[in-house]
Amino acid sequence: MKKYNVGIIGATGMVGQRFATLLENHPWFNVVALAASPRSAGKTYKDAVGERWFMDTPMPAAMADIIVKDASADVEEIAGMVDFVFCAVDMKKDEIKALEEKYAKAECPVMSNNSAHRFTDDVPMIIPEINDEHMAIVEAQKARLGTKRGFISVKSNCSIQSYVPALSPLRKFGIKDVLACTYQAISGAGKTFETWPEMVDNLIPYIGGEEEKSEQEPLKVWGEIKDGKIVKAESPCITTQCLRVPVSNGHFAAVFVKFENKPSKEEILSIWKEFKGVPQELDLPSAPKQFLNYFEEDNMPQAKLHRNLENGMAVSIGRLREDTQYDYKFVCLSHNTLRGAAGGAVLMAELYAAKGYFD
């Protein structure tokens, strides 16, 4: 695989920092540009971040002295330096939409961690193991934007990446109804316990906009391309409640599911064990070898023990059992800033690279 020069837009924030650590020794992607807000522009990356380095590992030495560019003002310059960019900016939704389209129209593909374009009809929202076929929609998007190689692709909400991967291979049994309660780590809000002491020994039963995303985004992931648009799946009916819990990293979900044709427990466990997607078939650098991992113990999986499974890119499942109102219930866990955010976007980019979309 050839090497690609890449940029990180929104490099100083928590997800941008995670991108930096993941890309430090990446075999395919070489970071040559970092960009952030005007207040960071013109400073070295280490000076722009200052005391706000949130990662457990040190800032990549090769990036520390890169001069940060202005994410909005320097689009053309950045586009001329890179083959594509990762985007994780903290701006208003309309501003993010405009910024990402500006990069795309500068013939710079955008791998977005932001939610702004998730419901744009011709922007694919990719979970690489599940809906790689949606990548084909970028040809319709490029026609709309008037570009030759510039396009936008987004990753899904971090919380649905705990339970949608577990449900996806079971759709052949006709999933009718899903109830999912998510218990989401504070890093999902870009916070640590140091910056959000109110979360210590606390639980907040509301995360703005999260329930709508959790109920609607899976339907786009499971949708199909028709007439240059991604049309959402009509089923299943999904209802959710999303809670913020005092955990540093790792989003949990308690899932209840009803089928048209109820499978046996043994069938479900076998399907989860054998499930592979295109990233596993292509042996992409960030792909987990075993995507779905089931734990037999009643008290597993646990955020602290299993969120980093396969470098934080695997999904952990447990407690599959029959339910009195639904057919089955189970729990799921994924690392929200790895599989759910930057890591998922890096894997998405690897998939596009392997398929030649950046050439």
Side-chain angles (χ1 to χ4, degrees):
M1 176 61 67
K2 64 175 281 189
K3 276 267 193 178
Y4 295 90
N5 288 332
V6 307
I8 304 171
I9 312 303
T12 57
M14 182 177 282
V15 177
Q17 293 176 22
R18 181 69 78 182
F19 273 124
T21 62
L22 291 175
L23 296 170
E24 181 177 13
N25 297 303
H26 196 282
W28 297 359
F29 305 150
N30 177 44
V31 176
V32 298
L34 301 171
S37 67
R39 66 178 177 271
S40 296
K43 300 177 182 177
T44 63
Y45 188 41
K46 63 185 176 186
D47 288 340
V49 172
E51 299 297 316
R52 297 176 296 107
W53 183 255
F54 298 124
M55 301 295 105
D56 294 331
T57 55
M59 179 181 286
M63 299 180 208
D65 292 321
I66 291 179
I67 302 299
V68 176
K69 299 190 180 299
D70 187 315
S72 299
D74 297 331
V75 172
E76 294 290 340
E77 181 183 356
I78 294 167
M81 298 171 63
V82 302
D83 295 299
F84 68 93
V85 295
F86 294 100
C87 189
V89 293
D90 183 12
M91 301 164 65
K92 294 178 180 177
K93 187 168 287 190
D94 287 347
E95 294 173 344
I96 295 172
K97 277 188 171 183
L99 181 66
E100 291 183 344
E101 287 204 357
K102 192 174 180 181
Y103 276 95
K105 288 178 178 178
E107 299 295 357
C108 179
V110 179
M111 301 289 105
S112 177
N113 186 74
N114 302 297
S115 65
H117 272 294
R118 286 185 194 152
F119 288 109
T120 303
D121 289 338
D122 58 10
V123 172
M125 181 167 62
I126 302 291
I127 299 179
E129 285 86 352
I130 295 171
N131 64 331
D132 64 288
E133 71 277 6
H134 284 189
M135 297 163 67
I137 196 70
V138 302
E139 297 308 321
Q141 184 194 145
K142 287 191 286 189
R144 172 176 65 86
L145 295 174
T147 60
K148 293 181 178 179
R149 65 182 299 274
F151 65 91
I152 303 160
S153 184
V154 300
K155 52 152 286 297
S156 71
N157 181 266
C158 50
S159 66
I160 77 166
Q161 301 207 41
S162 59
Y163 60 90
V164 166
L167 290 171
S168 289
L170 305 180
R171 293 184 69 225
K172 63 183 179 181
F173 299 109
I175 299 175
K176 292 169 57 180
D177 298 298
V178 174
L179 164 63
C181 296
T182 62
Y183 305 85
Q184 302 183 205
I186 63 173
S187 55
K191 305 284 189 178
T192 65
F193 286 117
E194 289 72 27
T195 61
W196 200 4
E198 297 86 357
M199 273 307 300
V200 176
D201 192 30
N202 195 17
L203 181 152
I204 299 175
Y206 174 72
I207 306 172
E210 202 74 7
E211 285 155 7
E212 179 187 6
K213 295 174 189 174
S214 297
E215 293 170 358
Q216 293 300 316
E217 287 190 20
L219 300 179
K220 181 172 181 178
V221 171
W222 291 329
E224 58 181 318
I225 297 174
K226 290 182 180 179
D227 301 322
K229 297 180 179 180
I230 297 171
V231 179
K232 291 192 297 184
E234 294 182 358
S235 63
C237 178
I238 305 172
T239 184
T240 65
Q241 286 212 108
C242 302
L243 296 79
R244 187 73 70 192
V245 295
V247 172
S248 58
N249 292 292
H251 284 356
F252 232 99
V255 184
F256 302 77
V257 58
K258 187 178 293 185
F259 296 96
E260 292 175 7
N261 303 295
K262 182 181 176 181
S264 68
K265 181 178 178 181
E266 290 71 27
E267 283 180 294
I268 294 173
L269 293 177
S270 175
I271 287 168
W272 282 341
K273 183 178 181 180
E274 298 301 321
F275 181 68
K276 295 185 188 312
V278 173
Q280 286 72 37
E281 293 169 1
L282 296 177
D283 195 25
L284 298 179
S286 299
K289 302 299 182 187
Q290 181 65 39
F291 182 35
L292 305 178
N293 297 263
Y294 185 78
F295 291 83
E296 296 284 354
E297 300 90 341
D298 286 340
N299 63 343
M300 304 288 181
Q302 296 179 18
K304 199 169 186 178
L305 298 179
H306 302 112
R307 59 193 171 204
N308 290 314
L309 190 64
E310 298 232 31
N311 297 314
M313 293 298 289
V315 174
S316 300
I317 313 171
R319 303 205 69 210
L320 176 66
R321 58 219 191 275
E322 294 196 12
D323 184 63
T324 56
Q325 297 179 41
Y326 290 75
D327 289 327
Y328 288 101
K329 54 190 171 187
F330 55 90
V331 297
C332 297
L333 166 71
S334 63
H335 196 302
N336 56 294
T337 69
L338 289 169
R339 166 56 72 166
V346 171
L347 183 60
M348 176 173 71
E350 291 170 1
L351 187 59
Y352 277 103
K355 296 288 188 178
Y357 280 83
F358 299 141
D359 298 334

